[in-house]
Amino acid sequence: MTNGARAAVEQVARTSYGRLVAWLAAATRDVAAAEGALAEALAAALAAWTQGGVPDRPEAWLLTAARRRLADAARRKRVRLAARPTLEALAGDGLAADDAAIPDRRLELMIACTHPAIAEAIRAPLMLQVVLGIDAARIASAFCVTPAAMGQALSRAKTRLRDAGVPFGVPDRAEWPARLGAVLDAVYACYGLAWDDLPHGGGPGDLAREGVWLARVIAALLPDEPEALGLLALVLFCEARRDARRGADGRYVPLDAQDTGRWVRNLLGEAETVLARAARAGRPGRYQLEAAIQSAHVARRFGAADWTAIARLYDGLVALAPSLGALVGRAAALAEADGPEAGLAALDAIPRDVAEPYQPWWALRADLLMRLRRCAKAAPCFGRAIALATDPAVRAFLAERARAMRAARRRPARRSAGSAVAAGGRRS
Amino acid sequence: MQMMMAFFETEAEFSARTDPERSPAYWGAWMAYMDALRAAGVILGGNPLHPPATASTLRRRGGTRHVQDGPFADSKEQLAGYVILEVPDLDVALAWAERAPCAVTGAVELRPVLTCPGS
């Protein structure tokens, strides 16, 4: 029975954590208190369910238990004025214990977590914690900071959520695009960490599944927002190819050399379906374009990738969101479509001071110069790309290419599509 | 909720208050802004303040009283006035802050009013 109860508690915690926190925090905006009450309720559930069996509606059981704890805590504090709404809300206006229809307020919670008054760097961690219940230590390891620093930053952000006057609701039409954008960016940041991390992850810092989960939640909450669907399609495409970026021996494998048999079919299929649904709205956006680029890349499993089409998609992306990654991705696509000179020209058009610290810029430059057999110029670019790469497997890959270039100086250059940008860029 | 909205101005704006050339524009903008706040019924109170040169700052250290001529903090933008607003949330307050004449040159700080326990 213990195992059954534990499994039931874990199951509800996994699927319902954010829904319960969102509901509990809605009245007071006190996310920390809501989380504390829910943690106590989960602990109580383990004991109660072990003895008396899992209730019919475990979620409602937890909500009732957490609400009681929240009310007790507010009473103990002699009811600060700010806590009065909690008590009123908890005194039982709507939800009976057996009411399974708990309103889903996760969207409001996510919008609050990404409010302009919350520092951008803490939005993704905050969302991971309050929507998915991931502990600070695990988030810290994904974001490469100490658990203490992450804990402090999260607690500061929650204090702001509670006291700064951040509204807990859906913003009006004028603000909606910007606020939705902030939510999507934070979800993508959660996934992007996992993507940059090693594949086969599974370590404590591997948040890929959580990133995909959040993207699914937001797409389910906003089925008519093409960009929410675009983001889901994008992370599904990435997730499908994640493990194929490494060989069996841990070697780095660039996109053009990836074994298409290792791409996860059902994820690719789902990504295509979601992207097609997004496109039907006729409102393109950054995430839809990024997903469309991924879709064009994985078309290679049916033959060759259409680089002219990819370059055109990058044109659209750069016009909407001219990030450094998009500019370098566009240069790589142009190199494939129109030749290495075109790629180099696109790289040169990026302001040098912006491009200098960006590893993929150097990696692509090295690759294009090599293909033009300008080895003397390519060599130092390889050096910079290797020095800037954070992933040892990418460093090894680039070092090997630089060695091969020196060895092959008098032999005809071998063509290799887009592999240099693959040795760095997220869009690889 | 009650929110303090504090206005911070630069030296140039403080001097515009009494400069015959610039003062009509300066006061015109502030009067229009305050009228808008009053018309919306969101303002509970507040005041403009004399320039920072008129400020006195006191500290007691080791039983001795130190009075400094000037404001607490030495910075480019100085407190020029404040109002207390009654607003539903930070977003509404931010929208008002955005319209303040000093938002483009100085800064506007928003701080929720703390309601003391037992009050």
Side-chain angles (χ1 to χ4, degrees), chain A residues 108-424:
Chain A
E108 284 117 299
L109 183 62
M110 288 195 261
I111 286 171
C113 287
T114 56
H115 191 275
I118 302 296
E120 206 173 331
I122 198 67
R123 290 177 195 167
L126 190 59
M127 217 188 244
L128 285 165
Q129 178 145 81
V130 307
V131 181
L132 300 181
I134 298 171
D135 62 70
R138 210 177 141 208
I139 298 172
S141 92
F143 283 78
C144 297
V145 299
T146 65
M150 181 54 79
Q152 225 164 43
L154 284 169
S155 128
R156 218 170 22 235
K158 286 175 200 169
T159 303
R160 281 186 71 76
L161 277 184
R162 186 190 62 202
D163 294 336
V166 173
F168 202 95
V170 176
D172 61 30
R173 198 170 280 274
E175 295 230 9
W176 175 248
R179 300 297 304 279
L180 173 66
V183 173
L184 298 181
D185 290 350
V187 172
Y188 188 48
C190 297
Y191 184 81
L193 285 170
W195 177 256
D196 293 337
D197 213 5
L198 289 176
H200 312 302
D206 179 13
L207 296 175
R209 276 176 53 195
E210 282 73 13
V212 174
W213 178 275
L214 278 177
R216 284 190 193 284
V217 167
I218 200 82
L221 291 171
L222 297 166
D224 299 322
E225 275 296 340
E227 276 296 87
L229 299 174
L231 174 67
L232 175 58
L234 174 60
V235 300
L236 290 172
F237 276 123
C238 292
E239 192 60 9
R241 290 200 300 102
R242 194 153 72 101
D243 286 351
R245 295 178 304 159
R246 285 291 187 283
D249 51 359
R251 215 170 15 89
Y252 174 81
V253 185
L255 174 55
D256 64 309
Q258 282 169 18
D259 174 5
T260 59
R262 289 185 63 203
W263 294 349
V264 185
R265 301 273 130 164
N266 61 337
L267 287 179
L268 290 179
E270 188 188 355
E272 296 288 1
T273 310
V274 173
L275 181 58
R277 244 175 68 209
R280 249 172 266 144
R283 284 185 284 143
R286 179 210 158 176
Y287 287 112
Q288 291 172 77
L289 281 166
E290 293 216 34
I293 289 166
Q294 289 295 324
S295 170
H297 277 306
V298 299
R300 180 164 76 76
R301 71 203 148 119
F302 308 121
D306 180 350
W307 285 101
T308 308
I310 293 174
R312 206 146 295 145
L313 288 168
Y314 268 117
D315 285 342
L317 180 60
V318 164
L320 273 181
S323 70
L324 199 45
L327 289 165
V328 173
R330 178 172 168 270
L334 286 172
E336 297 306 325
D338 305 333
E341 288 93 346
L344 268 183
L347 282 183
D348 284 336
I350 303 171
R352 190 67 181 234
D353 54 325
V354 183
E356 288 247 309
Y358 192 57
Q359 192 268 350
W361 190 85
W362 291 103
L364 179 60
R365 193 172 189 79
D367 186 71
L368 297 180
L369 288 167
M370 180 180 76
R371 278 153 63 179
L372 290 165
R373 303 222 220 162
R374 284 149 67 178
C375 299
K377 285 204 156 157
C381 295
F382 271 119
R384 287 292 285 269
I386 290 165
L388 285 168
T390 49
D391 182 344
V394 168
R395 278 201 295 274
F397 170 83
L398 289 168
E400 176 51 36
R401 283 179 74 79
R403 243 195 320 277
M405 175 182 77
R406 283 194 299 274
R409 260 191 160 165
R410 288 197 179 77
R411 280 183 271 135
R414 216 186 42 197
R415 196 184 145 74
S416 59
S419 47
V421 78

Side-chain angles (χ1 to χ4, degrees), chain A residues 20-113:
Chain A
L20 294 172
V21 168
W23 198 88
L24 290 164
T28 56
R29 301 164 179 164
D30 194 340
V31 172
E35 286 181 313
L38 183 55
E40 285 180 32
L42 285 165
L46 188 58
W49 300 359
T50 302
Q51 283 222 312
V54 179
D56 289 342
R57 295 188 169 112
E59 214 178 284
W61 191 101
L62 280 170
L63 187 60
T64 306
R67 282 162 73 191
R68 201 172 299 134
R69 278 168 173 77
L70 215 47
D72 288 349
R75 247 179 245 118
R76 273 199 303 277
K77 277 193 201 157
R78 290 169 172 258
V79 194
R80 288 179 315 153
L81 262 180
R84 242 178 233 163
T86 332
L87 281 178
E88 280 152 20
L90 299 175
D93 59 344
L95 286 173
D98 58 354
D99 189 347
I102 300 164
D104 195 342
R105 304 198 64 173
R106 279 178 300 180
L107 181 62
E108 284 117 299
L109 183 62
M110 288 195 261
I111 286 171
C113 287

Side-chain angles (χ1 to χ4, degrees), chain B residues 90-110:
Chain B
L90 176 62
D91 280 351
V92 176
L94 283 169
W96 280 111
E98 208 175 335
R99 292 173 60 180
C102 66
V104 284
T105 47
V108 185
E109 178 176 331
L110 292 161

